[in-house]
Amino acid sequence: MRASQYFLATLKEAPQEAELPSHKLMLRGGLIRKLGSGLYSWLPLGMRVLHKVERIVREEMDRAGALEVIMPPVQPAELWQETGRWSLYGPMMLRIKDRAEREFCYAPTAEEVITDIARKELRSYRQLPVNFYQIQTKFRDEIRPRFGVLRAREFSMKDAYSFDADEPGMLRSYQRMFDAYVRIFTRLGLKFRPVAADTGEIGGLASHEFQVLADSGEDLIAYSDASDYAANVEQAEALAPAAPRAAASESLAKDPTPGTATCEGVAKLWGLPLQRTVKAILLYANHRVHMLLIRGDHTLNEVKVGKVPGLKGWRWANEDEILAAADGPAGYLGPIGLDRAKITVIADRTVAAMSDFVCGANAKDFHMRGANWGRDCPEPDLVADIRNVVAGDPSPDGKGTLAIVRGIEVGHVFALGRRYSEAMQATFTAEDGTQKPFEMGCYGIGVTRIVGAAIEQNHDERGIIWPDPMAPFTVAVIPLGYHKSEAVKAAAESLYAELAGAGVEVLLDDRNERPGVMLADQELVGIPHRLVIGERGLKEGAVEYQHRRDAAATKVPLAGAAAHVRERLAP
RNA sequence: CGGGGUGUAGCGCAGCCUGGUAGCGCACUUGCUUUGGGAGCAAGUUGUCGGGGGUUCGAAUCCCUCCACCCCGACCA
């Protein structure tokens, strides 16, 4: 491709709406333009990247035996009503009506449609297993779209759905997809981790997220420093402390803490480590107020809370409920002196093992110190894992210690089971002649999100640094004085022809621009390899090669330049 | 949905407080010069000042209202 014939829409300054590096660079590099909140147009350069990603995804899906289909993005409400998701999906789903006032949605996902296809087309176990996938635009009306393409409302997703005759078969399909995902993200040149994820309300059998590691990620991932264990923080189990509770050594004291309603404040006031404090969080579930206790430096895990027996469907307690059940105002609450007939005390595993701790006194401007279970108040009604793990916690698999990193979720595999097939009566005739519902799995990859995530992981102050497999062009040929010097022009043209002839995606910058402009554009747009041709070098028969990550250029003979570059390309 | 912020040329911004012919840089067009890191000179082009309403002789500027976009948060006592 010749730059003079192409469309490079680079910007010197990033539009003010962009905050993250990837968002700024995609705008500045001319990959995308914003149409509205969470809505982006993809310009030619961005499309080249997107196509690279799609191609790798397709190749690996095909290799894994999945079959490509395409389903309409606009889907009738009836199908969604069959599974109950027409109401469950809520405002996240964009609903539209046709001229006859029939209701449709713009698909946020396609389980219903694919299950409809399966129930109509798949009749016998002999046709199983089968896996259908599509790469298609989805729409989710996110609460807060942000970070450009990383959390857009409209986005491209590869979604695949497997159908098996039984559960072991489904788990094999699941594993096949898992393996395909590992290959895809590896081929894309990304640093990623598959992590165990919450299976959520659906209660599926297995679920893994594929997280691209990046500081700007919205997800927190806990991983072991000594094993393969990795899980979303929402999911990672916080083990009970190994050491048993120490014996009480202090006596209980109620001391004033005027105007100090937080654990941090009390710890500071009394000169104690935050780890000695316990905070109380009140919530309401099953017609009853519950006091949850976690250590002052820990945070509550709402997903885990929902799984505690008796807390399903919980909500935060309101002010009146707090006063009625605990006799004290928020900020000064604790387990001591409570009427357990009015309130249930649920302690985190860590808290249950604490002694001589600090907690609220259930009276405004007072806290307790030297508090001990059994002696000063009854043991907790229930001990449960209700907190988020923190760095330094032991790994749940018993090997090593947890560390926490941020990630961007780019893929998710899910062993679904019969949730959709049963709801939609999607059955096949089994070997024994009976009708059985399909065992399903679903598998998503955020194709457009991958592009943003890759930039988050691969950029510097000058611009993007594409991994070769995603680069819009792999090599830039930059002649200095193309329009001035016949020698430069001839060398550039022959290099361009040689590389293009060898199947290398090369961009020849034949624009009549100054060197600084061409170099800055190449760096901004992230073309990983470049050859600079100037009269100066040509006098000694040399051109300059520089990888986007190299600190300096290296001279190579003109005759061997194309070969030199090709040796450096990713296979 | 709650809170905060921003809307002025394609992009980045000033002007608003204190009302009086809409500006700067970049980009774009033409010409000349320049050509190893985002050129120089000259001459140009580009605006419903987010929309609507009000106050005023006069509104980008003051008031009301709506909208869009961005950020933080969404009950962690």
Side-chain angles (χ1 to χ4, degrees):
Chain A
M1 181 62 70
R2 289 165 191 275
S4 64
Q5 312 292 308
Y6 201 61
F7 178 70
L8 287 177
T10 54
L11 263 26
K12 273 193 189 174
E13 288 171 289
Q16 45 95 277
E17 79 230 21
E19 191 100 330
L20 283 197
S22 64
H23 190 190
K24 284 184 180 162
L25 292 172
M26 288 184 79
L27 256 6
R28 283 191 56 207
L31 307 219
I32 55 168
R33 288 292 183 257
K34 187 178 75 170
L35 216 215
S37 179
L39 303 172
Y40 291 89
S41 302
W42 286 72
L43 303 185
L45 198 71
M47 279 313 289
R48 289 186 74 102
V49 178
L50 209 47
H51 281 146
K52 291 283 180 76
V53 176
E54 286 179 1
R55 207 187 73 210
I56 288 174
V57 169
R58 273 202 180 87
E59 285 175 6
E60 293 302 334
M61 291 306 289
D62 293 348
R63 187 212 293 241
L67 306 170
E68 186 165 9
V69 298
I70 192 153
M71 294 174 267
V74 174
Q75 306 180 347
E78 288 76 14
L79 274 184
W80 289 79
Q81 283 156 352
E82 278 191 59
T83 59
R85 285 165 111 198
W86 184 256
S87 46
L88 276 178
Y89 230 98
M92 188 83 128
M93 187 154 79
L94 178 67
R95 290 149 215 264
I96 44 192
K97 284 182 182 171
D98 70 3
R99 62 171 77 201
E101 294 288 300
R102 282 184 288 252
E103 288 192 292
F104 292 83
C105 66
Y106 198 106
T109 173
E111 280 82 5
E112 279 77 0
V113 175
I114 201 73
T115 305
D116 184 56
I117 289 174
R119 72 179 166 186
K120 287 173 175 159
E121 309 299 330
L122 302 173
R123 307 242 151 69
S124 161
Y125 75 96
R126 290 169 192 269
Q127 293 171 287
L128 304 178
V130 65
N131 185 329
F132 296 118
Y133 79 95
Q134 66 173 348
I135 295 178
Q136 217 230 23
T137 300
K138 301 287 183 292
F139 191 97
R140 292 181 186 172
D141 202 353
E142 295 281 349
I143 297 176
R144 182 143 92 89
R146 60 186 131 175
F147 309 145
V149 118
L150 288 179
R151 184 171 292 283
R153 295 195 292 175
E154 194 199 58
F155 59 97
S156 171
M157 176 164 113
K158 186 285 305 173
D159 43 326
Y161 307 88
S162 65
F163 296 87
D164 274 273
D166 53 27
E167 201 177 290
M170 175 195 66
L171 291 173
R172 280 192 300 276
S173 294
Y174 178 87
Q175 188 61 42
R176 202 170 304 125
M177 281 295 106
F178 185 101
D179 295 342
Y181 277 31
V182 169
R183 282 196 300 272
I184 288 168
F185 297 117
T186 303
R187 278 186 64 186
L188 286 168
L190 298 171
K191 291 184 276 294
F192 72 98
R193 263 191 184 252
V195 309
D198 183 31
T199 49
E201 291 284 310
I202 307 170
L205 293 159
S207 175
H208 286 85
E209 292 167 353
F210 286 77
Q211 297 271 356
V212 163
L213 276 18
D215 292 337
S216 55
E218 291 186 277
D219 292 318
L220 288 171
I221 304 155
Y223 69 95
S224 167
D225 60 2
S227 74
D228 283 342
Y229 179 84
N232 197 301
V233 161
E234 283 184 357
Q235 159 90 351
E237 183 182 4
L239 300 177
R245 184 193 294 165
S249 65
E250 297 174 12
S251 54
L252 185 68
K254 178 176 174 179
D255 286 323
T257 52
T260 310
T262 62
C263 285
E264 288 80 5
V266 174
K268 202 175 162 196
L269 185 70
W270 289 351
L272 293 169
L274 195 52
Q275 288 80 356
R276 296 279 304 280
T277 66
V278 168
K279 68 179 153 197
I281 298 156
L282 268 62
L283 45 86
Y284 185 89
N286 294 312
H287 316 291
R288 199 174 159 77
V289 176
H290 301 257
M291 176 180 282
L292 304 196
L293 296 166
I294 56 174
R295 205 170 72 183
D297 59 320
H298 287 155
T299 56
L300 193 71
N301 181 314
E302 298 180 24
V303 176
K304 289 179 179 178
V305 170
K307 290 178 181 168
V308 172
L311 295 188
K312 193 163 191 266
W314 64 276
R315 61 166 173 78
W316 304 106
N318 63 39
E319 213 169 309
D320 293 340
E321 289 162 350
I322 292 174
L323 286 172
D327 302 321
Y332 302 93
L333 298 174
I336 294 171
L338 293 175
D339 177 359
R340 293 285 184 97
K342 291 193 293 187
I343 190 165
T344 305
V345 173
I346 301 174
D348 181 64
R349 289 166 171 173
T350 309
V351 171
M354 287 170 74
S355 55
D356 298 329
F357 56 87
V358 170
C359 61
N362 298 319
K364 184 162 170 55
D365 294 337
F366 281 93
H367 279 78
M368 296 287 191
R369 59 168 106 202
N372 283 277
W373 294 109
R375 186 190 72 183
D376 305 321
C377 67
E379 293 288 338
D381 297 304
L382 190 63
V383 175
D385 172 23
I386 52 172
R387 70 172 173 94
N388 288 315
V389 293
V390 295
D393 279 346
S395 177
D397 67 354
K399 295 174 207 158
T401 302
L402 291 180
I404 293 183
V405 289
R406 288 187 165 272
I408 300 167
E409 183 187 347
V410 290
H412 201 152
V413 291
F414 213 108
L416 274 178
R418 298 182 295 271
R419 157 100 170 77
Y420 295 92
S421 52
E422 279 177 353
M424 295 179 65
Q425 286 106 46
T427 60
F428 62 96
T429 308
E431 202 168 354
D432 62 6
T434 60
Q435 292 295 306
K436 287 187 176 165
F438 296 104
E439 292 287 345
M440 293 172 58
C442 68
Y443 318 93
I445 287 183
V447 175
T448 39
R449 183 179 276 183
I450 283 175
V451 178
I455 297 173
E456 278 306 312
Q457 211 173 62
N458 299 286
H459 69 271
D460 62 15
E461 61 293 335
R462 296 182 170 203
I464 303 166
I465 308 173
W466 292 113
D468 282 15
M470 292 180 70
F473 297 97
T474 36
V475 180
V477 171
I478 301 183
L480 308 177
Y482 180 92
H483 297 264
K484 270 285 174 91
S485 157
E486 278 306 320
V488 167
K489 182 173 180 178
E493 287 292 344
S494 84
L495 263 180
Y496 173 58
E498 188 178 352
L499 285 166
V504 176
E505 290 181 281
V506 48
L507 182 72
L508 170 65
D509 202 338
D510 60 344
R511 296 175 297 171
N512 193 9
E513 288 289 355
R514 300 170 65 82
V517 173
M518 295 189 284
L519 296 171
D521 274 348
Q522 175 265 137
E523 286 163 341
L524 170 60
V525 148
I527 301 173
H529 306 267
R530 87 174 174 207
L531 286 167
V532 174
I533 302 160
E535 271 197 306
R536 221 159 62 189
L538 283 183
K539 282 191 182 128
E540 33 187 298
V543 299
E544 289 162 26
Y545 167 82
Q546 186 170 0
H547 186 270
R548 185 66 180 72
R549 290 191 190 278
D550 291 346
T554 54
K555 277 187 190 169
V556 295
L558 173 61
H564 182 88
V565 174
R566 290 177 62 194
E567 278 164 29
R568 261 143 261 265
L569 299 182

